[in-house]
Amino acid sequence: MSRVAIAGAGHVGLVYAGGLADLGHTIRVIDVDRSRVALLRRGSLGFFEPGLGDLLRRGMRRRRITFTTSYADALHGAEFVFVCVPTPSTSDGSLDDSMLRGAFDLIRRHRGEPSPVVVNKSTVPVGTGDLAAQLFSDLGMSVVSNPEFLSEGRALEDFYHPSRIVLGSRDRAAADAVRRLYAGIRAPVVYTDNATAEFSKLAANAFLATKVSFANSVAKLSGRVGADVDALTHILSLDPRIGQGHLRAGLGFGGSCLPKDVAAVEHLARRHGADPGLFTAVTRVNVDQRSQVVDLLVARYGSLAGRRVAILGVAYKPGTDDVRDAPAVALGQQLLALHAEVAVYDPAAHAVIRADGIRARQARSAFGAARGADAIVFATEWPELAGLDLPRLRRVMRGDVLIDGRGLIHPSLAKEAGFDYFGFGRVGRPPD
Ligand SMILES: NC(=O)c1ccc[n+]([C@@H]2O[C@H](COP(=O)([O-])OP(=O)(O)OC[C@H]3O[C@@H](n4cnc5c(N)ncnc54)[C@H](O)[C@@H]3O)[C@@H](O)[C@H]2O)c1
């Protein structure tokens, strides 16, 4: 069993801390954020990811996981150091690798003896692994690009049953050593170079985003030609060449990865003189989806000043409390800018919404948010929201507009309950 340091105690780093400890390794997690480390030492995760808190606490009880703010402590005796720090988008779409470079710097300075293999899991600008390999070469340290494909809300499932493990390195022995860390996990393993590994992560997210924008583009047309988009995408998804994931029409994609990774691919194309058109269009379609909601409300009410809109679901998808780049947040901001009064409800993201200072009234229930509203928008596919009592919802509202941004509500049931329904190309067959 190995000793592993993990830099970055966030959504990715902690999944690897819990998972690798469960496989028997000893893990030291480093984060530069002291309050995060203090929280984690008390056994608290600080965000919602199913099963992860229990897994981490089990690792801590077995003395396999500890948390520190000191690179020197964490790297002492470590055979591997996983880098899982943020790489946010910058204004030109490129990925900001300053935190990553900061982590590399600290690893260089505080490496122990023998020096650890650097395993990069952050989503990085293509070329980072080669630069890092140069940076660490004088110390005899190897760099393996091991991009992460986990999906929040099902991150542990993805850790134990990944669709693939990608290991990019100039040093096959180092890549093999990383593969052995994952012993017990069955998945196709692809050995490649650093650049291909890094680009595979960006390209995978760009493809998923393209599927969402494709579904939204056909949804717009479906509404116009009298076809039902849910039935249409179901038919498409039965073709194994197409598949069903990410093919739902609605408010579009969000989160901390897809929007920034599409922007990063677009930036990469521009920088290397390739045509960025497809990626530009994917983002434009996505942003348009939210604007459609605003346009619809303006068409209905004229001015939105004083109009009350309830947004049900704030997290960028169900199963997480992550609201980073969530479509609901962007929509809320657009509505607030037009002087609408916005109330929000999310089954999991209360604390995050409060901490983010989102300027909307936060309700404790969907009915609380909808009370007195002129319109409601379903913005996250939470199962709890799909089962709401529609006639009751309608009764607590002042107006009758229901915008189903996630295909949660059957159009005819909404109409029966007295709603004026808009469903992004959902015409609706009679319920089964
Ligand atoms: N969240 C996901 O679903 C997901 C999936 C695949 C890949 N990724 C990628 O993984 C990377 C990390 O994402 P995340 O969602 O885990 O981020 P996160 O924001 O949840 O956590 C990152 C943590 O790193 C810490 N940190 C910042 N600089 C540091 C440093 N120099 N040393 C140690 N800690 C430092 C931060 O304090 C924070 O706690 C990003 O590049 C992201 O694109 C994320």
Side-chain angles (χ1 to χ4, degrees), residues 20-100:
L20 290 173
D22 193 38
L23 296 180
H25 305 295
T26 304
I27 315 296
R28 304 222 72 187
V29 184
I30 326 144
D31 202 292
V32 288
D33 180 341
R34 287 181 181 281
S35 58
R36 256 204 89 48
V37 169
L39 192 74
L40 287 160
R41 282 181 175 155
R42 292 197 297 272
S44 191
L45 188 57
F47 58 84
F48 173 58
E49 178 61 48
L52 184 54
D54 288 340
L55 188 66
L56 285 172
R57 285 185 288 273
R58 193 161 75 224
M60 290 165 77
R61 275 197 306 276
R62 290 165 148 180
R63 298 185 187 283
R64 289 190 191 156
I65 304 178
T66 47
F67 299 97
T68 177
T69 53
S70 157
Y71 269 79
D73 270 3
L75 291 175
H76 181 73
E79 295 150 75
F80 300 88
V81 52
F82 278 53
V83 181
C84 310
V85 302
T87 47
S89 217
T90 63
S91 53
D92 68 1
S94 61
L95 295 171
D96 174 0
D97 61 359
S98 56
M99 285 180 261
L100 190 82

Side-chain angles (χ1 to χ4, degrees), residues 149-204:
F149 299 97
L150 71 76
S151 182
E152 286 178 24
R154 43 163 294 145
L156 293 190
E157 172 72 13
D158 287 341
F159 176 84
Y160 290 107
H161 307 284
S163 50
R164 69 283 212 199
I165 295 173
V166 177
L167 299 167
S169 186
R170 299 172 179 182
D171 180 345
R172 175 63 188 241
D176 274 333
V178 177
R179 174 63 187 113
R180 284 194 297 278
L181 273 182
Y182 298 133
I185 292 188
R186 287 164 57 125
V189 180
V190 183
Y191 289 95
T192 183
D193 53 84
N194 296 88
T196 306
E198 290 164 348
F199 194 24
S200 72
K201 168 64 191 175
L202 293 174

Side-chain angles (χ1 to χ4, degrees), residues 328-412:
V329 174
L331 173 64
Q333 279 160 349
Q334 286 184 48
L335 293 170
L336 286 165
L338 294 172
H339 308 291
E341 292 173 22
V342 179
V344 298
Y345 166 69
D346 190 278
H350 325 270
V352 187
I353 295 170
R354 205 173 314 118
D356 274 18
I358 293 171
R359 272 191 316 118
R361 178 170 72 80
Q362 197 183 164
R364 289 175 176 278
S365 70
F367 295 102
R371 185 154 299 116
D374 295 293
I376 47 172
V377 183
F378 286 80
T380 312
E381 220 173 314
W382 283 107
E384 172 188 322
L385 300 178
L388 287 176
D389 176 344
L390 293 179
R392 183 175 158 211
L393 202 60
R394 172 68 191 86
R395 280 197 302 277
V396 301
M397 288 172 60
R398 178 166 78 181
D400 64 354
V401 175
L402 186 159
I403 299 173
D404 185 1
R406 296 296 174 197
L408 282 178
I409 306 296
H410 198 286
S412 55

